[in-house]
Amino acid sequence: MNPAAAAKASVLDLAPVIPVVVIDDPTDALPLARALVTGGLPAIEVTLRTPAALDAIRAIADGVPDAVVGAGTIVSPENVTAAADAGARFLVSPGWTPTLLDAMAASGLPYLPGVSTTSEVVALLERGVTEMKFFPAEAAGGTPYLKSLGGPLPQARFCPTGGISATSAPTYLALPNVGCVGGSWMLPPDAVAAKDWARVESLAREASTLR
């Protein structure tokens, strides 16, 4: 989370899991978000990977007051502006550049810039950013890598995302420098396609108890 939002509750502390959501049909946004929130996962990252994403964020922000909806796959200043205008309450990027970081900071929203190397973490700490996304978590070294970072850089906190499952999530969550994890296992494609929101809610409830 950026310094300007330090007084606000951290996105990393809202729940042990942030669902990473890809929405193709905007009419799925409200029932999907309600299922996640009812299941105990209020922070929802809607990735900007589909044409429906901004409409989905807008619908969730307007129609599910208990949800803390954020925008993921932020890769440009234009993404930042569009997500903020749609009602996103936090921003998540897979990586960062100085230009992108400045845009996210200027938005006034909490943000989690993506990192996968020690140098990227140190560079963010130099700029006062202590909360970040570790991506792609499994491919970039997983829990051994994050555990190694905890010694020299204990002030950095992470939301690992990428390849994490219900089975591996508890191992990440046991690390002191992990605030939460991001994942999509509570949103099986077949359940979403069938609009089986009861199943999504049940899987979300299981995920909410992982820590």
Side-chain angles (χ1 to χ4, degrees):
M1 188 175 292
N2 60 314
K8 301 178 183 178
S10 170
V11 174
L12 270 61
D13 296 326
L14 294 177
V17 180
I18 296 179
V20 179
V21 181
V22 179
I23 293 181
D24 293 300
D25 183 349
T27 64
D28 287 343
L30 286 178
L32 184 152
R34 289 179 182 131
L36 293 172
V37 171
T38 302
L41 301 180
I44 302 170
E45 175 189 337
V46 178
T47 64
L48 302 187
R49 300 180 190 176
T50 68
L54 290 172
D55 286 340
I57 290 170
R58 191 173 291 108
I60 295 169
D62 292 341
V64 189
D66 291 335
V68 180
V69 63
T73 320
I74 298 287
V75 295
S76 70
E78 292 75 19
N79 287 162
V80 172
T81 300
D85 289 346
R89 293 173 59 183
F90 65 94
L91 307 171
V92 184
S93 68
W96 66 275
T97 65
T99 298
L100 181 57
L101 199 68
D102 288 343
M104 291 193 290
S107 74
L109 297 173
Y111 58 91
L112 298 172
V115 297
S116 60
T117 70
T118 306
S119 294
E120 290 171 324
V121 176
V122 171
L124 286 178
L125 291 174
E126 282 186 351
R127 297 192 50 161
V129 179
T130 60
E131 297 189 348
M132 12 191 131
K133 170 178 178 171
F134 179 58
F135 177 84
E138 287 288 279
T143 53
Y145 191 93
L146 284 174
K147 185 175 181 180
S148 296
L149 287 180
L153 303 170
Q155 66 272 52
R157 296 181 73 217
F158 300 95
C159 173
T161 305
I164 298 175
S165 66
T167 302
S168 62
T171 306
Y172 282 94
L173 292 167
L175 298 176
N177 58 349
V178 170
C180 64
V181 301
S184 57
W185 71 85
M186 71 296 302
L187 296 161
D190 60 334
V192 175
K195 303 187 187 300
D196 187 352
W197 309 123
R199 183 180 172 199
V200 171
E201 179 183 332
S202 176
L203 291 169
R205 184 168 289 107
E206 291 175 7
S208 74
T209 65
L210 287 177
R211 168 173 283 169

